[in-house]
Amino acid sequence: MTTAMPRRVAVLGATGSIGGSTLDVIARHPERFRASVLVANRNVEALVAACVAHRPKLAIVADPAMEGALARQLANAGVRCEVASGDDAITAAAAGPLCDTVVAAIVGAAGLESTLAAARAGKRLLLANKESIVMAGPLLLAALREGGGELVPVDSEHNAIFQCLPGGRPDLDAHGVRRLILTASGGPFRGKGRAELASVTPDQACKHPNWVMGRKISVDSATLMNKGLEVIEAHHLFGAAPDRIEVVVHPQSMIHSMVEYADGSVLAQLGNPDMRTAIAHALAWPERIEAGVAPLDLAACAPLAFEKPDLETFRCLALAFAALREGGDAPAILNAANEVAVEAFLAGALPFLSIADLVEGVLAELPAQPVVDVQALRERDAQARSVARRKLRTAC
């Protein structure tokens, strides 16, 4: 069964890996979906190419300095659509009449305002920007209640949990849920000790064994901070206390996450490591559609293995659990410090193992405060980044 009218989808982060996978799924189902709003950061050429293929109503570039180039290149390509730029334009589009579905895939804290705006406006929110809910989980949940929309997680782990729970995001106690089990690939450095990681390069850290991702999230996967952020996200999405969330390393990335019930049953969602599965599920939910993903050949799979994460070598995961338990805006401080640290590592200004040290130092200097509103969070985010950069200068 299909809807009478195609869903109008705003893809925030259209030129990234999630955005590209989303547009691929949309192109396979033109009767169901239309990419009505496309947003990019600064990659005008890729945005124009996407606009040529999908003919949106509105194209937005985050950097206002690039708006003129976007308008010219779209005109030269024969694409007629509205053009805008800047954060305010992105936020307005997420809440505006040109879309009923928003794919929130802008990387980092920059995606917070547009994600909240989509939630308040009652959109179907496909959440791929984990930083938004890590920073402002209580505010995002309040915005969802206010707007009356739907949130379907796109992160493969949370989408897997969503699929393994009755009704997607139920009351865990009422449905006999004992714990949520997030799987982690272990990243490119699984099994290595601290001595082996002292001199790793950004290119090595970004060479994920299973997934194709952007450089920032690839580094987060290598440090296990990505899994730490996902623990915080799972807490907010599903109302699970920290001691009911477990992380297990699963190198094959075939089981994307699991839910354990009180009767001893464990439900798992399996599939090839391709984000189009989660995106197609979220776009069409509660229906199922073809995603362009190859069927999982269980007979050809390597044996499935599981192991505990090494929290002494990969300390970022332990820091994320600690921030979640501390509560308040500690997760926002964690996220901000990590973004600065990863940026410095990618620039060659910080050793890999020092990412966790920097994050820990910022958390120690800025004890948690209650989450009051977005403005207060923004101020604390800026303060955490300032502290992180000061510590970077001191270390250098």
Side-chain angles (χ1 to χ4, degrees):
M1 185 179 74
T2 60
T3 54
M5 295 290 292
R7 280 191 169 273
R8 296 166 300 138
V9 184
V11 185
L12 313 185
T15 59
S17 60
I18 295 294
S21 294
T22 300
L23 292 175
D24 180 87
V25 173
I26 287 173
R28 294 171 186 275
H29 300 278
E31 76 287 355
R32 286 178 172 270
F33 311 111
R34 170 178 169 77
S36 57
V37 179
L38 297 181
V39 176
N41 183 23
R42 300 186 79 254
N43 193 341
V44 168
E45 289 73 19
L47 180 57
V48 169
C51 290
V52 169
H54 294 274
R55 304 284 165 162
K57 295 287 188 181
L58 173 63
I60 305 175
V61 61
D63 185 350
M66 308 298 290
E67 181 177 348
L70 175 62
R72 288 191 299 272
Q73 292 186 36
L74 286 174
N76 292 338
V79 177
R80 294 185 178 181
C81 70
E82 295 182 46
V83 175
S85 65
D87 293 339
D88 289 346
I90 298 171
T91 298
L98 294 180
C99 64
D100 50 61
T101 301
V102 174
V103 179
I106 295 173
V107 175
L112 174 60
E113 297 284 359
S114 53
T115 300
L116 289 171
R120 289 193 202 98
K123 310 292 185 177
R124 170 172 287 190
L125 179 60
L126 276 58
L127 185 65
N129 172 265
K130 64 174 60 68
E131 290 87 355
S132 292
I133 197 164
V134 166
M135 287 180 64
L139 300 182
L140 179 57
L141 295 178
L144 284 166
R145 290 192 294 269
E146 176 186 338
E150 302 167 316
L151 188 155
V152 185
V154 168
D155 263 354
S156 60
E157 295 81 2
H158 303 90
N159 183 263
I161 291 172
F162 186 94
Q163 293 190 49
C164 292
L165 289 171
R169 296 173 59 223
D171 180 277
L172 299 187
D173 289 327
H175 289 83
V177 174
R178 181 180 290 162
R179 60 180 175 153
L180 310 180
I181 306 170
L182 295 170
T183 57
S185 70
F189 304 137
R190 181 180 65 88
K192 295 187 181 297
R194 292 181 65 83
E196 298 172 275
L197 299 179
S199 59
V200 299
T201 67
D203 285 344
Q204 289 173 320
C206 290
K207 193 174 182 181
H208 196 281
N210 300 330
W211 296 92
V212 177
M213 305 180 295
R215 287 175 72 79
K216 193 269 180 184
I217 192 174
S218 294
V219 175
D220 284 347
S221 179
T223 64
L224 291 194
M225 178 60 88
N226 188 53
K227 203 55 49 181
L229 298 178
E230 288 174 3
V231 166
I232 298 169
E233 183 178 0
H235 162 73
H236 290 301
L237 282 176
F238 304 113
D243 60 1
R244 294 175 71 178
I245 305 171
E246 182 178 337
V247 173
V248 62
V249 175
H250 168 54
Q252 293 77 27
S253 295
M254 293 297 175
I255 295 178
H256 297 138
S257 277
M258 297 170 272
V259 175
E260 182 184 60
Y261 288 86
D263 60 6
S265 298
V266 177
L267 301 189
Q269 188 267 334
L270 289 77
N272 284 313
D274 190 319
M275 285 303 302
R276 290 177 296 176
T277 296
I279 291 165
H281 170 266
L283 281 170
W285 184 79
E287 299 179 54
R288 299 277 184 170
I289 59 173
E290 193 273 328
V293 179
L296 182 61
D297 187 347
L298 289 171
C301 290
L304 303 183
F306 304 92
E307 59 194 54
K308 290 185 178 295
D310 178 359
L311 297 181
E312 292 186 6
T313 300
F314 301 96
R315 297 195 307 114
C316 285
L317 178 55
L319 290 172
F321 265 108
L324 176 57
R325 291 189 174 98
E326 185 174 357
D329 63 6
I333 301 299
L334 173 96
N335 178 73
N338 180 66
E339 288 191 14
V340 172
V342 171
E343 182 181 12
F345 168 68
L346 288 172
L350 186 70
F352 179 79
L353 290 175
S354 295
I355 293 174
D357 297 335
L358 182 62
V359 173
E360 184 176 40
V362 176
L363 284 168
E365 186 165 329
L366 298 176
Q369 297 180 3
V371 175
V372 178
D373 54 32
V374 173
Q375 180 58 35
L377 271 180
R378 284 290 189 195
E379 292 171 0
R380 289 283 281 175
D381 177 86
Q383 184 181 12
R385 290 170 192 273
S386 176
V387 170
R389 293 187 180 107
R390 170 171 54 77
K391 288 182 177 294
L392 269 174
R393 290 193 299 269
T394 303
C396 296

